[in-house]
Amino acid sequence: MATSGNASPLVSPSQSLQPKQSEGALSQAPLRPSAPPPLSRARAIGLVATCTTAMVVNVSNSTAISISLPMIGRNINIPQDQLQWLLSAYALSSGCLLLFFGRLADLHGRKKAFILGMLTQLVFAVGCGFASSGITLDVLRGFQGLGAAAAIPSALGCLAHSFPPSRARTIAFSTFAAGAPVGGAFGIIVGGVVTQLSDDHWRGTFFMAAGLSALTLIGGLVSMSPDKVDWEADRRVDWIGAALVTAGLVLIVFVLGQGQIAPQQWRTPYIIASLVIGWEHHLEKAYGDPSRPKSIWTPPPLMKLSLWARAKGRVAVVLAIAFLNWAGFLSWSLWAQLYYQNYLGLTAIRTMVRFIPMFITGILCNFFVALVVARLPLVMFVVSGTLITAGAAMLFALINPSATYWAFGFPSTVLIVFGADFVYSAGTIFLAKIANHGEHSVVGALFQTMTQIGTAFGLTITTIVFDRVVSSESAKLGVTLNPEASNAPAAADLKGYRAAQWTAAAFPLLAAILAALFLRGVGIVGHDRRRSERKSDETIAVLHHSQETAREKPVVAESLA
């Protein structure tokens, strides 16, 4: 579109849609590299499929194992109250290092980080399949989570870099987001079949994960473009920040699980958290001061604290919502499986069949998001999705063991994935729009960190609630529980499962309240070509009028994000 007159505009339309910066910031900011060349249709499909499969592998590494927990506990003598660490070890190791690996991916190449991550998952999944003790399995699960920490932010960064704002990006991110609920259902379904039919029972779930990781690794080698590293960027790594973040996150969740037996330790995580915030704030100020000489003590911060305040603080709200929604979603999944297997005594396959509706709903929800995310505001997706997820957990909390599956279990399973689909799809698209150049993997890592830590937090809190309710109800019935709580009365167990589900429902309910209060002004986050063209026309008109009236001052339109 041409402008009238001979004078060229002082600010291009693409610049006008970027967030306002000060003159000093504009003068110091490095020039953005040219846009990546467009992908062929086949390569674009292959890239989206590979990244989505990586998400399926990541989530199924939790859900496929969770359906095997009762069998694992009986086979290698793990107490029931310690089984959740097989899930939390994976969530902790991946969640604690997502930011670090996201930063490395942005600096040294996203394809390299993705390939290394999938190779790590492959190797340690095989190792888990041969583990013979609970401690060994916990440790190997922790190392397996390192692969997810490298692969997932790299996959998000590849998608954001390869697909500029367009309908193709909307479809790519919606498809990638579908990997979370689809991976959850896929892990439960396939994990149940493998657990039931393989010779070594639960070990087959780890070998299945290794096979999927190998396929994804090959897909990454074929579909991802070679890395183009920006050698002019400051490529120093904030090792101190990485160590503080990792230590703080691990300690926070560990104390949540052990605080009831070591109450003096509840204060410790806040000390580490304060150190993390102080150090990252110090690095951000030092890095933004051009007069300050470079030093090994002042590398670019692992994560700019100002990122949380972008879009008038709504980035922090979206991240908090992701944390809460995943705390509820994965907690529902764990306690629903344990209810079916431990309380009702169903086999792994009969339990698996009850989760098939979740797989179908996950696909349909993301298809819906891809169609309408460019037409509906973010708040509608988040509020509706989290409320439906909360309702699903409440429905399971009211379950009647003597009632048919179709009365409580089926509708709860159908509804539980709405929050995961809507929040992940719309949330990642929103964050991709506010991310600066060179931040896509870090921003994606931050979002994924919140979901992973939310998972560990939800599992820990609901486990504490379950244990205390079962203990209290057993005492009322005159039963003294053994260390494994295997002699708990059925009535006490039922109340424990219901209490855990009520707790799971509280997380997405709180997320819905946050969204309704703080996300009303965000608007539509999906890309719509007609709306973008109309805004570009308006921007050019404003710029041209500004040139006629005040040529010495360029006009920079503030982004609505």
Side-chain angles (χ1 to χ4, degrees), residues 114-124 147 213 217:
F114 182 86
I115 298 303
L116 179 62
M118 296 314 303
L119 180 61
T120 301
Q121 293 209 67
L122 166 62
V123 171
F124 286 102
S213 298
L217 173 63

Side-chain angles (χ1 to χ4, degrees), residues 537-552:
D537 290 338
E538 294 171 355
T539 300
I540 291 174
V542 170
L543 292 171
H544 185 70
H545 176 71
S546 174
Q547 293 168 11
E548 296 297 329
T549 57
R551 292 181 179 273
E552 67 276 9

Side-chain angles (χ1 to χ4, degrees), residues 338-346 354 399 401-402 497:
L338 292 178
Y339 169 80
Y340 286 132
Q341 292 185 276
N342 289 355
Y343 185 80
L344 296 184
L346 301 181
R354 283 160 170 76
I399 197 166
S402 62
Y497 288 122

Side-chain angles (χ1 to χ4, degrees), residues 66-67 188 329-344 346 351 354-355 358 396 399 409 412-413 416 497 500-501:
S66 65
I67 200 170
I188 292 171
F329 173 52
L330 268 298
S331 295
W332 175 93
S333 178
L334 170 68
W335 295 106
Q337 292 167 47
L338 292 178
Y339 169 80
Y340 286 132
Q341 292 185 276
N342 289 355
Y343 185 80
L344 296 184
L346 301 181
T351 299
R354 283 160 170 76
F355 287 91
M358 188 166 67
F396 210 98
I399 197 166
S412 180
T413 305
I416 194 66
Y497 288 122
Q501 291 290 6

